[in-house]
Amino acid sequence: TTPWGQAATWDPEASRTVGAIAARQARAVGIHLFFSPLFDLARDLRWGRVHETYGEDPELVTRMGIGFVRGVQGDDGRSGMLATGKHFLGYGTSLGGLNQAATQLGRRELTDVHAEPFRRAIADAGLCVVMNSYNELDGIPAAADHWALTDLLRDELGFEGLAVSDYGSIT
C-alpha cells in the first residue's frame, strides 16, 4: 500500500505495521537501510511524487511517518534496520510542481511547517538518517545548504544521525 493510501486511514499503527513487515522482509535478504518515509508535505498536486507522501497536512504526515519509522527501527531502535526521513526540506512545494525546481518559502514556514515532521520523528522516534532534497532554497542547492543541514537540522532539531544525499543531488 502506498503512503497516500495509508494516510487515508489516519491510523499510524497501519503505517507502523507496514514498516515492520517491510523491515523483516528486507533484513531477511541483507538490507539494513530504507530510503523511506517521505516527510514531504505535498502542497502542489502537480508534483510528480505526491503519491509517495502522506499528504499535505503536517500533523498527518508527522504521525504516519513516525509510525513507519517505529515499525522499521523498532521501539528501542535496535531492529537492525534504519529508516531515512526525506526530503529535507520543502521539496513538495517546488515551483510549478516540478521535480528539482526551486522552493520559494521563507525560513519561518520551512522551520515551523516543513521541518516539523522531521523534528518530531527525531525526538519521538529516534530517526537515524535524513536525506536532503533536490530543490534549492534561496538559490542554494539543498545538498549544500549550511543553514538547512547544519543550523536547522543539526543545531535546532538536534539531529545527530547520518545525513545522506539523494542520488545525483550533489552533482
Side-chain angles (χ1 to χ4, degrees):
T1 176
T2 67
W4 216 5
Q6 294 168 41
T9 70
W10 275 86
D11 182 4
E13 284 302 312
S15 185
R16 181 185 190 133
T17 300
V18 169
I21 291 169
R24 279 196 305 274
Q25 292 173 340
R27 185 153 184 196
V29 295
I31 296 170
H32 297 277
L33 175 64
F34 274 91
F35 281 166
S36 188
L38 269 71
F39 284 113
D40 297 303
L41 304 181
R43 295 288 174 92
D44 187 332
L45 294 179
R46 297 173 294 177
W47 187 48
R49 300 185 75 173
V50 169
H51 67 285
E52 296 179 57
T53 75
Y54 294 112
E56 67 179 342
D57 181 78
E59 186 63 24
L60 176 61
V61 169
T62 299
R63 289 185 186 193
M64 298 303 288
I66 285 175
F68 187 84
V69 170
R70 287 181 174 151
V72 168
Q73 295 184 175
D75 289 329
D76 59 2
R78 296 177 185 264
S79 71
M81 299 295 298
L82 300 175
T84 302
K86 57 186 202 175
H87 298 92
F88 201 78
L89 187 65
Y91 194 32
T93 58
S94 58
L95 287 175
L98 297 173
N99 199 34
Q100 302 181 15
T103 296
Q104 292 185 327
L105 298 174
R107 287 187 177 182
R108 180 175 180 202
E109 184 172 350
L110 286 167
T111 301
D112 292 350
V113 178
H114 295 270
E116 187 61 17
F118 291 92
R119 176 190 321 276
R120 289 183 38 206
I122 292 163
D124 298 346
L127 180 65
C128 294
V129 183
V130 169
M131 179 183 289
N132 68 262
S133 55
Y134 276 112
N135 58 320
E136 62 179 49
L137 304 171
D138 289 331
I140 301 171
D145 192 318
H146 187 274
W147 171 77
L149 295 174
T150 303
D151 298 342
L152 180 58
L153 181 62
R154 299 275 185 204
D155 298 341
E156 188 172 332
L157 275 57
F159 183 67
E160 296 179 351
L162 176 66
V164 298
S165 66
D166 194 354
Y167 296 107
S169 66
I170 300 287
T171 56

